[in-house]
Structures are given as C-alpha cells and as structure tokens.
C-alpha cells in the first residue's frame, strides 16, 4: 500500500493515525498515516541510543534505549515532546509494558525492573526481579507479568506488589523464548523454533 524509506527501523508503536518508529541514528520518527501511500513525517524525538522497544500509553510514548527508559508526550498530534529518562539497569532494555502508573521493563541478563512513571519526566525505580537467564518480551495481564526468558522459557511473575515482584509460575518452552502475548487463558510464545501456546488459566501451573 505504502512505505516510508531511507532509514533503518528497530521498533514501532501505533496510536490512532500516527505510527512512531525507532530508527538507527535518527531517534524516534513520527509519521502521519492519513495517506497510507505516503506516510508523512511529522516530528523526530532524538534518543541517546538505539530504540529497541516502543510502547504507547495514553498520551505518552515510552522508549527503551540501551539501559535507559525514556518518555515523550504525544498529546499534540504529530508531535513527540521529550519529557525525561532514567537509567533502568546495567543491561540493555529489551521490552516495555505499561499498566497504570508502572512500566515493567525487561533488561536481558538484569531481569525485570519496575519503574514508577506517574511522573513521566522522572521515571523512578520501584522493584526488581533478577532470577532470569535473559529476559526479553513481556506482557501484563491484571497483576501478572509474563516474561519470555530466552533459554528458560515462560516465567510468570506476580506484580501485585510492584516493589516486590515474585515468580509464581514457569513453563519450559521447547525453543528459546523471545516474545510473548497473552489473550484470555492463553499465552502465545515466540521461540527460535516457532510458536508455542501455553495454557495459563492457573498461572502457578501453566502447561
């Protein structure tokens, strides 16, 4: 249908008629999709580092760049206004999920970090869990976080107390777990050998 070229994209997030694309060397580019044949570039949010993950939460855009969680306001259509950032951990941010006032951030070998983003200009660390081999994709449903933990499969974490995340369930996938999505009682896990579907109706005993 259409395309925007001449940059190397690493991640994206869609909100309404806008798509936000992280690019190598250019930060986060905002494109207006009103004309799908020729997406119009509206603004650029300069990031100090490669944006490996992007997520939209209401009028806010969050990005993971190296070991940092950064935020921008997208309240004005077509504009990405930088708000602030904070170092998350020594590892590289791999994925972000936002629920309520908290951002749940996977940081590879540094595991899971919980950041309070009630003030998006100054994300603040709240809690962490470091039992992972290499935390990659994450999904949040209710008070549970589902983490794709590369060589150790799907890990299920109770985040009802954000300052003290606690693992409550684990499922060994056949392949290396890279990403996860949750819908209803099922978790869909992307691995290096394909797709695995896990029943999580009892998070303590997924199968």
């Amino acid at each position: 249908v259409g395309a925007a070229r001449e940059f190397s994209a690493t991640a994206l997030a869609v909100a309404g008629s806008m798509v936000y694309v992280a690019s190598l060397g250019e930060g986060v580019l905002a494109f207006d999709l009103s004309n799908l044949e020729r997406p119009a570039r509206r603004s650029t949010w300069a990031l100090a580092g490669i944006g490996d993950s992007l997520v939209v939460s209401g009028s806010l855009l969050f990005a993971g760049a190296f070991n940092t969680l950064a935020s921008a306001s997208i309240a004005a259509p077509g504009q990405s206004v930088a708000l602030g950032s904070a170092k998350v951990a020594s590892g590289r941010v791999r994925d972000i999920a936002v629920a309520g006032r908290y951002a749940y951030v996977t940081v590879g070998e540094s595991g899971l970090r919980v950041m309070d983003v009630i003030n998006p200009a100054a994300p603040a660390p709240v809690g962490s869990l470091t039992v992972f081999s290499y935390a990659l994709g994450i999904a949040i449903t209710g008070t549970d976080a589902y983490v794709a933990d590369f060589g150790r499969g799907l890990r299920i974490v109770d985040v009802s107390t954000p300052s003290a995340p606690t693992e409550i369930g684990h499922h060994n996938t056949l392949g290396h777990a890279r990403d996860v999505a949750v819908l209803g009682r099922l978790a869909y896990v992307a691995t290096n050998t394909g797709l695995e579907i896990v029943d999580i109706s009892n998070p303590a005993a997924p199968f």
Side-chain angles (χ1 to χ4, degrees), residues 23-59:
S23 67
L24 291 174
E26 292 190 67
V28 178
L29 314 179
F31 289 92
D32 187 334
L33 300 176
S34 298
N35 181 350
L36 292 177
E37 292 184 2
R38 294 185 178 180
R41 182 166 164 175
R42 298 301 188 200
S43 65
T44 300
W45 171 24
L47 279 182
I50 300 170
D52 284 320
S53 52
L54 289 176
V55 63
V56 170
S57 178
S59 62

Side-chain angles (χ1 to χ4, degrees), residues 80-178:
S80 305
V81 180
L83 296 175
S85 64
K87 181 178 178 180
V88 177
S90 58
R92 185 168 178 170
V93 173
R94 291 300 181 181
D95 200 9
I96 305 164
V98 178
R101 65 182 289 169
Y102 298 105
Y104 301 87
V105 186
T106 52
V107 203
E109 66 277 3
S110 294
L112 172 66
R113 293 292 190 270
V114 184
M115 305 289 287
D116 188 336
V117 293
I118 192 68
N119 177 7
V126 173
S128 64
L129 186 63
T130 58
V131 298
F132 304 91
S133 64
Y134 199 86
L136 291 170
I138 184 169
I140 301 289
T141 298
T143 59
D144 292 333
Y146 298 83
V147 180
D149 188 21
F150 198 60
R152 297 185 65 186
L154 178 67
R155 314 289 287 274
I156 304 175
V157 180
D158 181 350
V159 292
S160 57
T161 304
S163 60
T166 304
E167 182 175 17
I168 57 171
H170 173 230
H171 177 77
N172 285 316
T173 52
L174 296 177
H176 293 158
R178 292 173 171 165

